[in-house]
Amino acid sequence: MDIQVMPIDPARLRPPLSDNYGFCIHFANRMFTQRYTRGKGWHDARIEPYAPFAMDPATAVFHYAQLIFEGMKAYRRPDGNINLFRPMENARRFNNSARRMAMATVDEEEHLAAICRLIEVEHEWVPRQGDASLYIRPTMIATDTTLGVHASASYLHYVIISPVGPYFKEGFNPVPVYITDQYVRAVHGGVGEAKTGGNYAASLYAGEDARQKGYSQVLWLDAIERRYVEEVGAMNICFVYDGQRIVTPPLTGSILPGVTRKSVIELGRHLGYEVAEEMVDVYRMLDDVKAGRITEVFGCGTAAVIAPVGKFGFHDDEIAIHDGEPGPVAQRLYQELTDIQYGRAPDPFGWTYTISVNGH
Ligand code: PLP
């Protein structure tokens, strides 16, 4: 892929943020874009100034939500170079989402090369503080400008990047989670396993409802029986039995196959935990929490990495987990994973992909 790096007006260059990042509020000066036209394929790959898109009000994405995205991070290594974490997993998932949403697919190697090129150009935007990183948001939207309901023949693929601090303002403190059996996020046969905007739009109402009740995330149950645990907010979920057995729900098609989830399974086994992918019945799970058989619960995802759950709300009940304190398994996994991501520890799995910006 030939990527053209467009000039940028020096008067529009903003210096990289060095503190108070928030979460994806400020974006780097440049973005990657390329366009797809049926019959022609992908063309006009560019790194260009970050700017609003001018779009026709009839553009397909605004009406039928034909869009996909990814979420990944770049981490500053102690030697000044930059790590991506399992970026080909995200590239593969991007294409899986594209296929499910009847969109054009990308060349996965070229998609990764475009991300790397953008980060090389904007490397000063990768924070140097320990718990901060650069969030990467590859996106694809349908750009046909007719209101017919069919798969678009043209797409815009772009990547924007933003320095981020820790995801939860609570830090590594356990989050309160509300279990809803009133609303559902996704159904088998639907688009739950694709990273597409509609899944998130569908989750907002229940999220607001939970916040009003004093909880910061929603735990989703399966749509049919409203009984089997699926995922929590924008994270997969794990339960720790007796401090040594980690259980996470299987990928049944209605939950997102998380890269962090996959890494927790592999790292967990490597560290000597027993790890199983099993259906988790919410009623039994709550009994196991109350009886102390479940000793920890945590969410896992790129944004927060590992987020301990401090309590569940369900109907009118409130159930504390591990006395509301972060547990040792979550803390250990968080430490081990972030040490690999930031290049502070050896990476026996070959998960990190280093972008050299330092001459090393
Ligand atoms: N589930 C949902 C709905 C998500 O949006 C995410 C986050 O991206 C995850 C799970 C975790 O996936 P990953 O670990 O790849 O970030």
Side-chain angles (χ1 to χ4, degrees):
M1 175 173 36
D2 196 15
I3 305 176
Q4 203 184 349
V5 182
M6 311 296 284
I8 188 162
D9 176 358
R12 287 179 53 191
L13 275 178
R14 287 162 294 116
L17 276 195
S18 57
D19 208 351
N20 293 326
Y21 302 111
F23 197 85
C24 293
I25 301 166
H26 308 279
F27 293 87
N29 288 307
R30 296 173 182 84
M31 62 183 173
F32 168 81
T33 63
Q34 67 171 338
R35 303 217 166 234
Y36 178 91
T37 313
R38 192 177 290 157
K40 185 172 175 190
W42 290 104
H43 54 92
D44 290 320
R46 289 186 183 143
I47 289 177
E48 60 181 289
Y50 184 98
F53 297 123
M55 286 203 202
D56 192 296
T59 303
V61 65
F62 297 145
H63 302 271
Y64 309 124
Q66 199 189 9
L67 80 114
I68 57 164
F69 61 93
E70 262 306 319
M72 49 203 286
K73 280 178 171 174
Y75 307 87
R76 182 74 69 176
R77 297 168 51 86
D79 65 9
N81 288 326
I82 295 164
N83 274 352
L84 300 180
F85 184 69
R86 311 189 81 174
M88 284 310 282
E89 294 284 338
N90 294 88
R92 267 194 291 278
R93 191 171 66 188
F94 194 63
N95 268 346
N96 288 341
S97 300
R99 281 185 280 269
R100 180 63 185 86
M101 300 306 289
M103 300 171 85
T105 53
V106 294
D107 181 299
E108 290 165 16
E109 298 284 346
E110 289 186 353
H111 172 80
L112 176 56
I115 291 169
C116 291
R117 188 80 189 96
L118 177 63
I119 291 174
E120 274 164 17
V121 174
E122 294 284 32
H123 66 93
E124 290 298 343
W125 284 78
V126 181
R128 292 176 189 275
Q129 285 95 323
D131 57 357
S133 55
L134 184 81
Y135 189 80
I136 306 164
R137 171 53 60 91
T139 309
M140 194 198 301
I141 59 174
T143 51
D144 275 8
T145 52
T146 72
L147 293 185
V149 181
H150 49 72
S152 185
S154 60
Y155 297 95
L156 170 62
H157 171 207
Y158 62 93
V159 182
I160 53 177
I161 52 179
S162 167
V164 294
Y167 187 63
F168 290 112
K169 55 181 185 318
E170 297 99 326
F172 198 69
N173 291 326
V175 291
V177 168
Y178 190 74
I179 305 172
T180 180
D181 59 4
Q182 190 179 4
Y183 305 108
V184 296
R185 173 187 172 275
V187 294
H188 292 179
V191 296
E193 66 185 343
K195 209 159 165 63
T196 186
N199 288 331
Y200 297 82
S203 75
L204 299 178
Y205 189 84
E208 287 308 311
D209 191 47
R211 257 179 287 283
Q212 275 176 17
K213 293 183 166 87
Y215 296 86
S216 59
Q217 299 283 316
V218 173
L219 181 84
W220 302 103
L221 302 177
D222 78 282
I224 297 169
E225 297 190 52
R226 312 266 171 116
R227 187 174 187 106
Y228 294 101
V229 172
E230 300 228 309
E231 54 190 334
V232 57
M235 293 183 287
N236 295 111
I237 188 155
C238 296
F239 300 89
V240 182
Y241 289 78
D242 303 316
Q244 55 83 36
R245 182 166 193 268
I246 302 170
V247 173
T248 191
L251 301 175
T252 50
S254 51
I255 68 176
L256 194 82
V259 179
T260 320
R261 172 189 182 278
K262 187 172 181 181
S263 308
V264 162
I265 292 173
E266 292 166 25
L267 177 65
R269 288 189 179 134
H270 176 81
L271 294 175
Y273 297 106
E274 187 190 334
V275 185
E277 293 174 73
E278 283 171 8
M279 306 277 276
V280 176
D281 175 322
V282 70
Y283 294 96
R284 191 155 165 202
M285 180 276 284
L286 291 173
D287 283 347
D288 285 342
V289 172
K290 287 178 191 158
R293 287 185 289 271
I294 290 181
T295 45
E296 289 175 55
V297 181
F298 59 87
C300 58
T302 297
V305 188
I306 300 286
V309 177
K311 65 177 177 187
F312 282 129
F314 188 44
H315 299 158
D316 293 327
D317 219 3
E318 190 155 276
I319 303 107
I321 304 156
H322 201 259
D323 293 330
E325 295 296 320
V329 179
Q331 290 190 63
R332 183 166 182 208
L333 289 169
Y334 178 80
Q335 197 61 48
E336 298 265 354
L337 264 178
T338 52
D339 282 350
I340 292 174
Q341 289 168 334
Y342 283 90
R344 295 187 294 248
D347 168 13
F349 308 98
W351 284 342
T352 47
Y353 182 99
T354 302
I355 303 172
S356 193
V357 292
N358 208 12
H360 291 282

